Amino acid sequence: MKNDIPTHVAIIMDGNGRWATRRGLKRSEGHYAGYKTLKKTALHILDKGVKYLSVFAFSTENFKRSKEEVDYLMNLFVTAFKSDQNFFIKNDIKVVFSGRKEPLSDEVYNVMKEIENETSNCKKTVFNVCLNYGGQAEIVDTTKKIVDLVEEGKLDINSLDTENYYHYLYNDLPPVDLLIRTSGEIRISNFMLYSISYAEIYFTTTCFPDFDEEEFDKALLDYQNRNITKGTVK
Ligand code: FPP
């Protein structure tokens, strides 16, 4: 019997730079192509019945890239999250962000807060954008949050377990069922470490700008035909 549609899909959107370089384009053009692909493919994924989609938009390590590339990506986030508000509202997609505030500029952070507020009543699906995100940092930040709650008398430490731990992560989302990484790299790169514990992992050599609806359907079929013994924990 085929597995159901995964509830939570997460994507490491890798290979924008290589996609551009192979075409004699600038890396920034690869990021723009990736953004265009993300809009189209995300809609397709959510239309398939996936309820939660998480994407790795910018890691804490990505700040080590050239100033030109970091500035380009930050501007792209600001422009996209301003101009796409209606896109998210029209499609009933609630946007949330996972990651640390520092060292994001106020301009980027304010746009993130604005789109979170504007889409907070959307109900159909959740789009979790991991921006200035690191998986180990999330576990450390969650631990600190839990300690604070315990000290304030708001949480009994003995009630904490592996299932309700999800409530205290950056966002209270269910575990990831299917993790996809594009571009041929076969590693996790510090992405959603707690939430991918039981995820099925799909690696493809396709670079992210080419990860269209058809490519997602291949990943979905692969997932649906797998013998999943562990299942999810939540
Ligand atoms: C990794 O490819 C990709 C990124 C660091 C950026 C991903 C961002 C997008 C797809 C745009 C998303 C836009 C919004 C608004 C959320 P890479 O540059 O590491 O590729 P390479 O390994 O080939 O160099």
Side-chain angles (χ1 to χ4, degrees):
M1 208 183 79
K2 278 192 168 190
N3 296 308
D4 292 335
I5 296 286
T7 302
H8 189 171
V9 171
I11 309 180
I12 302 176
M13 308 184 289
D14 199 8
N16 292 346
R18 271 163 288 168
W19 181 91
T21 308
R22 281 174 200 155
R23 284 164 178 75
L25 303 171
K26 289 192 276 184
R27 291 180 59 82
S28 57
E29 292 176 276
H31 293 313
Y32 187 71
Y35 158 65
K36 288 289 195 197
T37 296
L38 176 59
K39 261 181 96 169
K40 226 159 48 101
T41 305
L43 215 49
H44 175 71
I45 294 173
L46 299 172
D47 279 348
K48 283 270 172 192
V50 170
K51 294 283 175 223
Y52 300 86
L53 175 62
S54 294
V55 294
F56 209 171
F58 197 90
S59 70
T60 44
E61 288 77 23
N62 286 154
F63 272 109
K64 294 185 190 134
R65 294 191 177 193
S66 73
K67 183 175 178 325
E68 188 190 355
E69 187 168 350
V70 172
D71 286 351
Y72 179 84
L73 279 166
M74 292 299 146
N75 280 328
L76 177 62
F77 297 142
V78 171
T79 313
F81 294 129
K82 272 186 189 159
S83 65
D84 290 341
Q85 287 198 5
N86 287 339
F87 167 85
F88 289 113
I89 293 167
K90 195 177 88 196
N91 291 295
D92 208 12
I93 301 170
K94 178 175 175 164
V95 181
V96 297
F97 290 92
S98 294
R100 284 184 171 168
K101 157 81 179 80
E102 296 304 329
L104 293 174
S105 71
D106 287 344
E107 188 191 16
V108 174
Y109 192 68
N110 291 342
V111 167
M112 289 161 63
K113 288 289 130 197
E114 193 180 318
I115 196 156
E116 273 188 339
N117 286 337
E118 291 293 323
T119 62
S120 61
N121 292 324
C122 293
K123 296 263 177 317
K124 195 166 152 217
T125 53
V126 175
F127 182 47
N128 173 37
V129 183
C130 298
L131 205 164
N132 191 24
Y133 175 87
Q136 292 181 332
E138 178 171 30
I139 293 173
V140 169
D141 291 347
T142 301
T143 309
K144 289 180 180 168
K145 195 195 283 183
I146 288 169
V147 169
D148 285 346
L149 289 169
V150 170
E151 282 179 0
E152 289 162 14
K154 292 179 181 155
L155 174 69
D156 171 8
I157 194 66
N158 295 314
S159 70
L160 192 65
D161 59 30
T162 54
E163 292 195 25
N164 64 28
Y165 192 86
Y166 284 90
H167 300 320
Y168 306 100
L169 294 171
Y170 287 138
N171 285 288
D172 183 9
L173 307 176
V176 172
D177 302 297
L178 171 60
L179 170 67
I180 297 169
R181 181 170 191 151
T182 59
S183 93
E185 307 301 339
I186 304 181
R187 48 179 175 261
I188 299 299
S189 299
N190 200 18
F191 189 47
M192 300 189 81
L193 297 181
Y194 193 83
S195 309
I196 62 166
S197 300
Y198 292 101
E200 294 296 317
I201 308 184
Y202 178 85
F203 294 107
T204 171
T205 52
T206 301
C207 286
F208 189 71
D210 290 330
F211 191 75
D212 57 11
E213 295 96 325
E214 209 178 305
E215 290 290 324
F216 175 75
D217 288 349
K218 278 193 225 165
L220 181 62
L221 195 63
D222 190 90
Y223 169 86
Q224 290 184 314
N225 285 325
R226 286 188 195 183
N227 180 16
I228 301 176
T229 49
K230 288 261 189 180
T232 54
V233 293
K234 195 183 177 192

